[in-house]
Amino acid sequence: MSSPDQTTVRGKSRLALLLALVATLAITLPLGWMWNASRMPETFSVMDMGVHEAGLDGVAGVVGGAGAGGHGPTHGLPGTSTTKVSVDDLVEQEGGTPDVSLRLVAASGRITIAPGVTVQGITLNGTSPGPTIRATEGDIVEVTLVNESVPGGTTLHWHGLDVPNAEDGVAGVTQDAVHSGQSRTYRFVARQVGTYWYHSHQVSHEQVRKGLLGALVITPKASSTPAATPVTATASAADVVALSHTYGGKRTINGKVGEQHVDAAAGDRVRVRVINTDAGVAPLWVSGAAYVVAAIDGTDVNAPAEVEGKALVVPAGGRADVVVEVPTSGAVRVELSGASLVVGPPGSTTPWTSRPKDDVDLLTYGTPTSLAFDPDQPDRRFTYSIGRRPGFVKGRPGVHWSINGKLYPNIPMYVVSEGDVVRMEITNRSNETHPMHLHGHHLLVLARDGKPATGSPWWTDSLEVPVGSSFDVAFVADNPGIWMDHCHNLPHAREGLIAHLMYDGVTTPYRIGGSTPNEPE
């Protein structure tokens, strides 16, 4: 027979065990629920991901007040459109024989970046970068992608070019991936003058790193008159691409390490189209002469000034056209942190230099000019707040990227209607910088950290958002479709830093994951 003391001890022991069990369940049950909720279905549509945010006052998921564009609180609410359009129907409407026609064959293979130095990667027509596609404003461009031997399938996305949605090249959103032995033809009109690039959007964090990419340049019609600037007042004697990509830890320009030379005579003006295809920023600077920032992300800068002693930071995915004038003696060096382009007479050179301490500030660079819309009278207001918090993504525990406090796949679907003026605040509350890329549209930067833009209209499709920074941006919803809005540090997108912009009434038949061939990031 137990003594009272033994009974008391047993009672306390049972109570402690019960409390421990309750505490364990209090921890494990929510964790189990979060784990299960984060698991992806066998296949899914991006249309079913997260919360549909309308950006209108009084609507679930809304951020900000009602738009002042006169649409009213019921305009374009998610699911209200009675007309449904598939992304497959959003194709180029202009017919006729293509002015530029190209066949690109994608294959796994070795890439030579210096004499005797090769790396394993992915080539297009046997090279990486792939062939530079050049077109004239208004040309019909037709490119056929043939997958010869890229495992897992591939696609082509036209980075920065606002093509019809069906041509955007995103596996699982606008098409199925193109597998070995298959092909896919893309067709669009080259309506935007400027510097762009193309790359895979299937397992993009791997395939872009391995070299499945190339430059795309669209030049003005002969009748177009370029804006006069201190350096670009007359036509350039040369127009060259400087595509920056890192292969096997070595930065290259146009696929070659070290120094490359562009022949140009003293007094020649040369436009250098810098394209950053890596996951991090590519600071560029010029030694031997001043330079002008002529364009950012394919859009000309209005009345730019000469720059001396400053670097220009090009975000991941971004482009910058700089114009240099060859001095009467020597040469000009365009530097990209270990790789460079020397512009001058044959055999000429100029010393390497260190990166300047100061950077060009695009918020104040150039001269203001009028806009075709009023960003202060938006129809929609959204926020895109980037953070980092513990939780589960795709069933994996960890500290993950968040958007508006939510983890993938419970991320926002920003819903708009065609013609809307959209205003968005992009804030980085995480511990790393993020180059943000919206497909199908260009953003106008209105302010940074509350400071209004005072220079040339700063249009961008690849916006570097440093830690702790906030940008107010605007755009016109003039390109119907379902569009990715993601970090172009592609491993970040792979880890869940990705949202979408959807036009009300647009649907997609494509799915991601599981038995599908599609894995866009």
Side-chain angles (χ1 to χ4, degrees):
M1 186 171 182
S2 301
S3 67
D5 288 344
Q6 289 175 320
T7 302
T8 301
V9 169
R10 289 193 186 116
K12 289 181 178 179
S13 177
R14 288 173 183 150
L15 178 61
L17 183 62
L18 180 61
L19 290 174
L21 179 61
V22 170
T24 301
L25 291 174
I27 295 172
T28 57
L29 287 178
L31 286 176
W33 181 86
M34 288 189 291
W35 170 77
N36 188 63
S38 76
R39 296 174 64 201
M40 305 302 296
E42 179 66 13
T43 66
F44 63 96
S45 169
V46 296
M47 296 182 65
D48 300 328
M49 295 168 64
V51 177
H52 285 213
E53 297 194 5
L56 300 168
D57 191 22
V59 178
V62 63
V63 179
H71 294 302
T74 61
H75 171 72
L77 301 185
T80 61
S81 176
T82 57
T83 303
K84 302 298 181 183
V85 177
S86 170
V87 297
D88 282 340
D89 298 323
L90 298 173
V91 297
E92 180 55 59
Q93 297 299 310
E94 189 166 330
T97 303
D99 303 286
V100 178
S101 183
L102 185 65
R103 184 174 183 264
L104 293 177
V105 179
S108 299
R110 303 293 297 183
I111 300 166
T112 300
I113 60 174
V117 180
T118 65
V119 295
Q120 184 65 38
I122 302 175
T123 63
L124 289 162
N125 294 1
T127 68
S128 179
T132 294
I133 301 173
R134 286 188 175 267
T136 301
E137 180 184 9
D139 281 353
I140 298 174
V141 179
E142 192 170 276
V143 179
T144 298
L145 170 66
V146 179
N147 185 354
E148 182 178 281
S149 59
V150 178
T154 191
T155 71
L156 289 181
H157 165 63
W158 313 96
H159 187 111
L161 204 60
D162 302 338
V163 298
N165 194 219
E167 310 302 329
D168 197 42
V170 180
V173 181
T174 64
Q175 67 169 91
D176 284 327
V178 180
H179 279 263
S180 295
Q182 297 179 341
S183 65
R184 207 273 195 192
T185 298
Y186 301 86
R187 181 185 174 93
F188 53 86
V189 174
R191 294 183 173 89
Q192 297 163 259
V193 171
T195 305
Y196 308 96
W197 62 296
Y198 59 90
H199 62 79
S200 167
H201 232 302
Q202 163 76 350
V203 199
S204 61
H205 70 292
E206 291 184 2
Q207 293 190 6
V208 173
R209 177 179 57 82
K210 291 180 178 180
L212 205 165
L213 51 89
L216 170 60
V217 175
I218 301 173
T219 52
K221 294 178 181 178
S223 59
S224 297
T225 303
T229 70
V231 173
T232 59
T234 60
S236 299
D239 183 317
V240 298
V241 167
L243 185 149
S244 174
H245 190 71
T246 300
Y247 298 89
K250 296 179 174 62
R251 186 187 291 278
T252 69
I253 292 181
N254 300 331
K256 304 299 177 186
V257 299
E259 176 184 305
Q260 297 180 62
H261 201 280
V262 175
D263 290 345
D268 281 352
R269 294 173 174 84
V270 180
R271 189 180 192 104
V272 181
R273 301 176 182 269
V274 177
I275 304 171
N276 179 15
T277 66
D278 286 322
V281 298
L284 77 87
W285 62 96
V286 174
S287 53
Y291 68 99
V292 161
V293 183
I296 295 292
D297 289 351
T299 302
D300 284 349
V301 175
N302 184 56
E306 288 189 342
V307 176
E308 290 187 271
K310 291 185 177 182
L312 178 65
V313 176
V314 184
R319 290 88 59 216
D321 293 14
V322 298
V323 179
V324 297
E325 183 173 324
V326 180
T328 54
S329 61
V332 178
R333 185 184 295 273
V334 179
E335 303 193 45
L336 282 156
S337 300
S340 70
L341 204 65
V342 175
V343 183
S348 62
T349 190
T350 191
W352 291 79
T353 60
S354 299
R355 173 184 172 173
K357 294 181 180 179
D358 296 328
D359 294 334
V360 176
D361 187 355
L362 295 175
L363 199 71
T364 60
Y365 184 73
T367 303
T369 189
S370 60
L371 300 171
F373 72 104
D374 186 355
D376 293 325
Q377 297 292 315
D379 300 294
R380 313 269 181 162
R381 289 181 182 268
F382 299 113
T383 61
Y384 195 127
S385 180
I386 304 164
R388 198 161 173 82
R389 70 173 183 82
F392 292 85
V393 170
K394 301 178 183 178
R396 298 192 301 268
V399 180
H400 301 286
W401 307 115
S402 65
I403 303 174
N404 297 350
K406 304 293 186 180
L407 300 182
Y408 186 94
N410 299 311
I411 40 78
M413 173 68 81
Y414 300 109
V415 182
V416 298
S417 294
E418 187 173 3
D420 283 344
V421 172
V422 183
R423 186 154 177 154
M424 179 179 285
E425 181 185 36
I426 306 173
T427 303
N428 183 0
R429 294 188 171 93
S430 75
N431 58 349
E432 291 188 38
T433 185
H434 299 289
M436 301 309 297
H437 174 53
L438 171 61
H439 289 208
H441 304 76
H442 276 65
L443 305 176
L444 175 66
V445 177
L446 304 174
R448 181 185 60 225
D449 300 330
K451 180 182 178 182
T454 58
S456 168
W458 177 7
W459 290 96
T460 179
D461 57 66
S462 302
L463 178 65
E464 190 70 26
V465 185
V467 175
S469 289
S470 178
F471 285 84
D472 292 314
V473 300
F475 64 94
V476 177
D478 56 4
N479 195 6
I482 300 174
W483 304 98
M484 277 194 164
D485 190 353
H486 65 108
C487 179
H488 218 271
N489 183 330
L490 295 174
H492 289 180
R494 169 72 171 176
E495 295 158 4
L497 189 39
I498 174 174
H500 294 84
L501 175 77
M502 182 181 81
Y503 284 64
D504 190 43
V506 176
T507 66
T508 177
Y510 302 105
R511 300 181 71 82
I512 294 174
S515 59
T516 77
N518 303 318
E519 191 177 348
E521 299 296 352

